[in-house]
Amino acid sequence: MRSQYRGRVDNRQAIGSWISGPRAAAEDMGVEFGYRGQQLGLPETGPGSIARPGRRFAALFLDWALCMLIAFGLLSGGRAQAASNWALLVFAVLGVLTVGTVGFTPGKRLLGLRVIAEGGGRLSLPRVVLRTVLLVVIIPAVVWDRDGRGLHDRLSRAVQVRI
């Protein structure tokens, strides 16, 4: 009785496609998506290619740590609970000022990333403000499209690329 179920339960290919996600499963079935950024006219690798999620997350972590240090040391009077509220404001101001002028935050610069407009070039100030407000809300940043761009980048028509 036990041997008749062994073949059905041990289906590693089905488990692997579930863990890998729907894109990997579709690619295994022969669907061609192209590389990330191909629809935007960006190169597949090297400078100007779409920034990978791990690098973007690390840059976000560095920027948040910097904002927490500024908020804790200068604005909150040494109170940790108030520092996180101030850090959100510092994060928003930092994002608008740095991305709006030079195209990257300190964390993005350290990790070799830049925020550009979809067609290339610098983002306009209203689009930088929209992107920053959406990023502060957090939810759009965790919703990605097939190019790996967060909803905050997609709605502001921005792309994070490697320098």
Side-chain angles (χ1 to χ4, degrees), residues 22-24 26-27 31-36 38-39 146-147:
R23 180 180 176 125
E27 286 174 345
V31 176
E32 179 63 38
F33 287 108
Y35 61 87
R36 294 176 192 255
Q38 185 174 12
Q39 291 182 330
R146 66 183 265 183
D147 288 319

Side-chain angles (χ1 to χ4, degrees), residues 5 8 30 40:
Y5 292 109
R8 293 184 206 163
L40 300 170

Side-chain angles (χ1 to χ4, degrees), residues 44-156:
E44 185 173 2
T45 59
S49 64
I50 293 273
R52 295 286 180 204
R55 192 176 276 199
R56 292 191 330 238
F57 179 74
L60 180 66
F61 178 78
L62 289 172
D63 289 334
W64 183 252
L66 175 65
C67 293
M68 282 295 289
L69 282 173
I70 291 170
F72 185 76
L74 300 177
L75 302 171
S76 71
R79 294 175 310 195
Q81 189 172 12
S84 62
N85 294 333
W86 282 108
L88 197 59
L89 178 64
V90 172
F91 183 79
V93 170
L94 178 76
V96 169
L97 291 178
T98 58
V99 173
T101 56
V102 293
F104 46 77
T105 61
K108 287 184 190 344
R109 180 64 183 126
L110 284 172
L111 294 172
L113 305 177
R114 179 182 297 268
V115 179
I116 62 171
E118 279 181 351
R122 196 175 283 171
L123 283 178
S124 65
L125 185 60
R127 287 169 50 186
V128 170
V129 170
L130 173 65
R131 181 184 183 277
T132 303
V133 167
L134 291 172
L135 186 58
V136 167
V137 174
I138 296 174
I139 295 172
V142 297
V143 178
W144 294 355
D145 66 3
R146 66 183 265 183
D147 288 319
R149 294 187 307 159
L151 189 57
H152 64 294
D153 282 334
R154 188 171 174 97
L155 292 175
S156 62

